[in-house]
């Protein structure tokens, strides 16, 4: 680790809280920092209003720092998206969100969680593997990349309980 990284002070994130429809615009802005094809505020409004979706965020000084959203169907859940503000990454925010989320899902009776991740997204794959997700499938050439190239998606799974 480089010295400037060692000197970065760990932010004091809030406890995770359930997000509301009023958070849609902040969710959309944060999403645009992490993904090439960001979701609009109205798409987030629909997700946040959907009772089958679980949306949990963490704040830093009352600003949304990161969030995780999943959709529950019976005893299964699918992670829809997770993102942390670029300057607040590698400080444990995603880890906090994921642990909180898994316990909320288990409390709702979910027994298995699936997600899809870009096979080249090393940070996300490390996060998921560290938390017990295992690869159960690969969607070849699933993501569009620059200049017509395509990238694979991995399907990962974790059992709860
Ligand atoms: C993936 C992402 C959510 C991780 O958020 P984060 O708050 O930085 O992650 P954390 O600090 O909680 O890290 C938790 C674990 O994830 C892994 N990890 C996170 N960032 C990493 C990186 N840059 N390189 C390698 N591993 C990383 C590590 O295993 C880490 O545990 P450790 O610190 O004990 O080694 C963040 O990089 C992000 O928002 N990326 C853009 C959006 C995205 O790609 N979302 C995932 C789509 S599937």
């Amino acid at each position: 680790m480089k010295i400037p990284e060692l000197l970065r002070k760990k932010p004091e994130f809030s406890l995770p809280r359930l997000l509301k429809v009023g958070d849609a615009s902040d969710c959309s802005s944060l999403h645009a920092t992490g993904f090439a094809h960001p979701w609009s505020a109205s798409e987030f409004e629909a997700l946040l209003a959907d009772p089958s979706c679980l949306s949990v965020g963490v704040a830093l000084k009352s600003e949304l720092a990161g969030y995780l959203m999943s959709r529950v169907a019976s005893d299964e859940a699918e992670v829809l998206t997770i993102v942390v503000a670029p300057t607040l990454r590698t400080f444990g925010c995603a880890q906090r969100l994921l642990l909180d989320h898994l316990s909320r899902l288990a409390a709702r009776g979910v027994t298995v969680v699936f997600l899809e991740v870009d096979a080249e997204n090393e940070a996300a794959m490390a996060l998921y593997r560290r938390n017990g997700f295992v690869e159960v499938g690969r969607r070849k050439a699933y993501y569009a990349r620059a200049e017509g190239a395509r990238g694979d998606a991995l399907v990962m799974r974790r059992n709860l309980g």
Side-chain angles (χ1 to χ4, degrees):
M1 191 183 289
K2 293 178 197 143
I3 287 172
E5 281 178 43
L6 287 169
L7 294 175
R8 288 169 78 209
K9 192 165 172 272
K10 186 165 182 180
E12 291 193 19
F13 296 115
S14 71
L15 291 175
R17 71 159 172 91
L18 289 175
L19 297 178
K20 306 188 185 106
V21 173
D23 295 304
S25 160
D26 289 343
C27 286
S28 176
S29 305
L30 208 48
H31 200 260
T33 68
F35 298 95
H37 304 288
W39 300 348
S40 67
S42 55
E43 287 172 299
F44 275 102
E45 274 173 21
L47 289 170
L48 290 164
D50 182 341
S52 70
C53 290
L54 177 62
S55 307
V56 177
V58 153
L60 180 68
K61 294 183 181 146
S62 73
E63 297 269 316
L64 191 62
Y67 59 85
L68 200 174
M69 301 175 76
S70 65
R71 180 176 276 125
V72 179
S74 181
D75 59 352
E76 291 190 4
E78 178 194 10
V79 173
L80 299 176
T81 192
I82 178 171
V83 64
V84 172
T87 57
L88 302 176
R89 289 180 192 164
T90 70
F91 284 121
C93 185
Q95 181 66 27
R96 177 180 289 221
L97 282 165
L98 188 53
L99 287 180
D100 174 85
H101 217 87
L102 295 177
S103 67
R104 287 181 198 257
L105 290 174
R108 285 189 180 199
V110 168
T111 58
V112 59
V113 184
F114 289 95
L115 60 84
E116 208 169 70
V117 57
D118 186 328
E120 290 179 18
N121 188 342
E122 287 178 16
M125 295 215 322
L127 168 72
Y128 298 138
R129 287 195 174 121
R130 185 189 195 283
N131 286 282
F133 284 83
V134 293
E135 186 180 331
V136 291
R138 179 177 284 258
R139 297 190 172 131
K140 288 271 184 199
Y142 186 74
Y143 295 112
R145 302 223 193 278
E147 293 167 10
R150 312 282 307 176
D152 293 354
L154 297 185
V155 180
M156 301 184 88
R157 167 189 178 129
R158 179 177 153 172
N159 294 336
L160 296 180

